[in-house]
Amino acid sequence: MIRTFAAIDIGSSGLEMGIYELSEKFGIRLIDQVRYPIALGEDTWSSGKISYRRVDETCEALAEFARIMKGYQVENCRAYATSALREAQNSQIVVDQIRVRTGIEVRIISNSEQRFISYKAIAYKDAEFQKVIQKGTAILDVGNGSTQISLFDKDSLVSTQNLPLGAIRLMEIMRHMKTTAEKEQKLIQELVDNELVTFRKIYLKDRKVENLIGVGKVTLVLYRRIMGEVNQRDRITVEEFNRFYGALGRMTLDQIEDTFEVNAVYASLLLPAATIIRQVLEVTGADNIWVPGTLMLDGIAADYAEERKLLRFNHNFANDIIVTSRNMAKRYKCHMPHIQAVENAALQVFDCMKKYHGLGMRERLLLQIAADLHSCGKFVTMRNATEYAYNIIMATEIIGLSHVEREIVANVVRYHLKTFQYNDIKIDAKPSRSSRLATPDNLTLTVAKLTAILRLANSMDRSHSNKLDGCRIAIKNNKLIISTDYVGDVTLELLSIEEKADFFEEIFGIRPVLKQKKKV
């Protein structure tokens, strides 16, 4: 069965739509693509709001997109908005206007979701992707509002960071400076280097990066000019890029327009974007850039196809999220044997309680992340550590998680040691693909359930000695029986589990009890 699907990307410099045919047999096939240039990001980063004139223009363009979708008999559509709308103060008004005037439901996605979707588009090129990431690799996603650098090592995503370095954002800074073209290029280099120096110290220490994967619309435009439209090679060497960069720096804006066949607005973005790529090449020491030629639209289609089981990735994306969380725990000097013990216990309890909590695999993943990060606040202070842990999690983007999901994790960590306050759980419940997580009441209940499980799991390793490793968990007569064959002293675990039992019973109606089969 072939499904027709439309992906819409509402970006900083334009609106873009791809019409795809999706099937289990043939995978993903792009059959049409439409682009409408509109600089929404200019409004956001200059005034903080998108002007009504541009809102009106956006609605008219999307109405035309809707007519095209109707012509193709599109069965389903996903429209995602990124940094321009995400950072605009009037974003919800804009989204509502689009819905009322075009019938298109727009979802504003977090930066971590945006990069994860782009990352799925690359992973769709399965064989080459798996080959490249076996060695030290960085994915460089140069956007108009920001730049994301994600580091891979031995098939796993080890870290990802978002830097406030976007082509439009840099141009907005330059616009207020009266200077020569040569001076402007040096100033952009300095701005980029200033952001990269901290990244290099923290994330590139003792790490060898051999390959750079370049994604994003502007990277693709630069690649096509460097390599030529007829060249089938999808890799650019450092030498090829540096020669091109030198030539680009000597061009006037008019020459860039003519050479790249773009308008003045887009032409002004190419040098800042190329500067970001050049400086990242220099900082990482990568030998080449692989340009897979994927766009955000491809990622949206791949994500949808995977959900509908029309596509299966060989790469384990959930594992990337977990590895990233564990690396974050290491960065904040968490006691990793204890972290692993709590994670194992939490998942064991979650799986045993399926009939009682009614949660799914996504919530199980959030619990796992909360277990990994539950003690990161101690890096700041041992006193009131859960408040600092909450702030650390909310200040750190975890790739693949929406803003709402990150808030759930942060609140679970926040309340795993302090009295749970139902009325204090305030989560910005924006529309989500998961209807179960869509309302404030459901979100509070989800936080309460995961908190109760994390509290119990943490108490099961109260001595930080993993004494209950290999324990068995079963539910009998409204009791969660935790049975252990450990022959040593489990007094700390026994007292701690009893202390956490009231809240667990309050949430699930099941009381946890520790039973030691063999005693000293």
Side-chain angles (χ1 to χ4, degrees), residues 55-326:
V55 173
D56 194 47
E57 190 180 353
T58 299
C59 288
E60 288 179 6
L62 290 174
E64 180 59 31
F65 283 10
R67 285 190 284 273
I68 294 170
M69 283 191 279
K70 190 174 181 181
Y72 277 103
Q73 298 182 321
V74 167
E75 298 172 44
N76 211 324
C77 164
R78 278 194 183 161
Y80 289 166
T82 53
S83 57
L85 262 179
R86 187 165 60 233
E87 297 182 29
Q89 296 169 22
N90 60 339
S91 60
Q92 294 307 311
I93 295 171
V94 178
V95 168
D96 185 63
Q97 281 287 297
I98 293 171
R99 180 185 60 80
V100 171
R101 294 172 60 178
T102 71
I104 296 173
E105 296 279 354
V106 175
R107 181 173 170 229
I108 301 173
I109 58 174
S110 68
N111 178 69
S112 58
E113 288 177 291
Q114 175 188 345
R115 309 305 176 174
F116 201 59
I117 288 169
S118 296
Y119 162 32
K120 280 192 173 182
I122 310 167
Y124 180 60
K125 300 201 168 202
D126 184 60
E128 186 66 16
F129 177 69
Q130 291 297 336
K131 178 183 174 183
V132 168
I133 63 173
Q134 294 305 315
K135 297 180 180 178
T137 300
I139 296 180
L140 175 63
D141 189 349
V142 179
N144 292 320
S146 63
T147 292
Q148 192 87 7
I149 305 178
S150 304
L151 299 175
F152 280 84
D153 192 22
K154 295 178 183 176
D155 195 33
S156 292
L157 179 68
V158 294
S159 173
T160 182
Q161 288 297 311
N162 184 253
L163 309 177
L165 297 170
I168 291 179
R169 203 184 291 268
L170 288 173
M171 283 311 301
E172 282 299 313
I173 296 171
M174 291 296 106
R175 186 171 294 176
H176 302 294
M177 299 181 184
K178 294 181 180 179
T179 183
T180 63
E182 185 180 353
K183 181 70 171 174
E184 182 178 294
Q185 187 174 354
K186 288 182 178 178
L187 285 172
I188 292 173
Q189 286 180 2
E190 288 179 9
L191 284 169
V192 174
D193 283 345
N194 185 49
E195 293 293 339
L196 289 176
V197 66
T198 304
F199 177 84
R200 179 175 56 213
K201 286 180 180 177
I202 297 176
Y203 300 103
L204 293 179
K205 187 179 179 183
D206 302 325
R207 192 178 298 282
K208 171 67 174 172
V209 175
E210 294 187 20
N211 305 303
L212 199 65
I213 303 176
V215 297
K217 182 73 176 178
V218 71
T219 303
L220 187 56
V221 170
L222 292 169
Y223 157 76
R224 285 172 177 165
R225 181 59 195 168
I226 296 170
M227 305 308 295
E229 293 287 352
V230 294
N231 195 313
Q232 297 301 308
R233 187 157 57 91
D234 57 6
R235 289 181 186 270
I236 309 169
T237 66
V238 173
E239 293 76 16
E240 286 171 332
F241 188 86
N242 286 337
R243 280 198 302 271
F244 165 80
Y245 180 74
L248 182 66
R250 293 188 292 271
M251 290 183 190
T252 64
L253 189 60
D254 289 339
Q255 288 173 329
I256 293 174
E257 285 183 61
D258 293 338
T259 303
F260 288 86
E261 298 178 350
V262 293
N263 60 30
V265 173
Y266 207 87
S268 67
L269 306 179
L270 295 180
L271 182 59
T275 302
I276 294 169
I277 297 170
R278 179 184 178 274
Q279 299 311 107
V280 170
L281 277 170
E282 190 173 294
V283 164
T284 59
D287 301 322
N288 61 83
I289 310 171
W290 174 42
V291 184
T294 56
L295 298 173
M296 176 75 171
L297 297 175
D298 303 319
I300 297 172
D303 191 47
Y304 175 82
E306 184 190 25
E307 280 183 26
R308 293 297 186 276
K309 303 193 185 310
L310 299 171
L311 175 67
R312 184 176 295 173
F313 289 100
N314 290 323
H315 189 76
N316 188 334
F317 294 103
N319 185 62
D320 286 334
I321 300 173
I322 293 301
V323 171
T324 302
S325 301
R326 287 176 185 159

Side-chain angles (χ1 to χ4, degrees), residues 478-481 497-498 501-505 509-513:
N478 289 333
K479 290 182 180 180
L480 185 74
I481 309 297
I497 289 171
E498 182 59 33
D502 288 345
F503 183 67
F504 193 91
E505 188 174 22
I510 304 288
R511 191 170 188 85
V513 176

Side-chain angles (χ1 to χ4, degrees), residues 287-513:
D287 301 322
N288 61 83
I289 310 171
W290 174 42
V291 184
T294 56
L295 298 173
M296 176 75 171
L297 297 175
D298 303 319
I300 297 172
D303 191 47
Y304 175 82
E306 184 190 25
E307 280 183 26
R308 293 297 186 276
K309 303 193 185 310
L310 299 171
L311 175 67
R312 184 176 295 173
F313 289 100
N314 290 323
H315 189 76
N316 188 334
F317 294 103
N319 185 62
D320 286 334
I321 300 173
I322 293 301
V323 171
T324 302
S325 301
R326 287 176 185 159
N327 284 327
M328 185 175 161
K330 289 176 185 175
R331 192 186 321 145
Y332 289 103
K333 308 299 182 185
C334 296
H335 183 220
M336 296 313 293
H338 173 64
I339 293 296
Q340 191 61 61
V342 172
E343 181 186 314
N344 292 340
L347 296 182
Q348 196 175 355
V349 172
F350 183 96
D351 293 342
C352 183
M353 294 284 295
K354 278 181 183 178
K355 292 181 180 179
Y356 297 87
H357 56 57
L359 302 176
M361 293 304 293
R362 192 65 182 179
E363 289 85 356
R364 187 180 190 272
L365 177 64
L366 300 183
L367 174 64
Q368 200 169 353
I369 296 167
D372 289 339
L373 300 177
H374 77 275
S375 62
C376 66
K378 292 179 181 178
F379 181 82
V380 181
T381 177
M382 298 294 287
R383 187 182 179 87
N384 207 20
T386 57
E387 287 297 323
Y388 287 98
Y390 173 89
N391 292 330
I392 287 170
I393 294 166
M394 290 308 299
T396 308
E397 288 195 327
I398 302 171
I399 194 165
L401 296 193
S402 68
H403 180 78
V404 168
E405 289 173 328
R406 189 150 44 99
E407 284 186 295
I408 290 172
V409 171
N411 275 289
V412 171
V413 170
R414 184 185 197 182
Y415 285 103
H416 87 280
L417 288 180
K418 59 187 289 188
T419 304
F420 194 87
Q421 302 290 341
Y422 292 91
N423 295 328
D424 283 353
I425 307 293
K426 293 180 176 62
I427 296 178
D428 186 11
K430 294 176 182 177
S432 168
R433 277 177 285 162
S434 174
S435 58
R436 186 174 59 251
L437 298 182
T439 67
D441 287 344
N442 284 345
L443 289 167
T444 299
L445 193 54
T446 297
V447 171
K449 290 176 180 179
L450 297 182
T451 300
I453 295 173
L454 180 59
R455 284 185 181 186
L456 177 60
N458 192 33
S459 68
M460 288 170 65
D461 190 41
R462 184 66 183 85
S463 61
H464 287 216
S465 302
N466 203 13
K467 294 176 181 178
L468 302 188
D469 181 37
C471 69
R472 298 167 300 283
I473 300 179
I475 298 172
K476 293 180 183 177
N477 301 322
N478 289 333
K479 290 182 180 180
L480 185 74
I481 309 297
I482 304 166
S483 304
T484 179
D485 293 330
Y486 183 75
V487 296
D489 187 0
V490 293
T491 303
L492 277 178
E493 283 71 20
L494 192 67
L495 292 174
S496 187
I497 289 171
E498 182 59 33
E499 183 187 350
K500 303 298 188 297
D502 288 345
F503 183 67
F504 193 91
E505 188 174 22
E506 177 186 325
I507 299 299
F508 299 113
I510 304 288
R511 191 170 188 85
V513 176

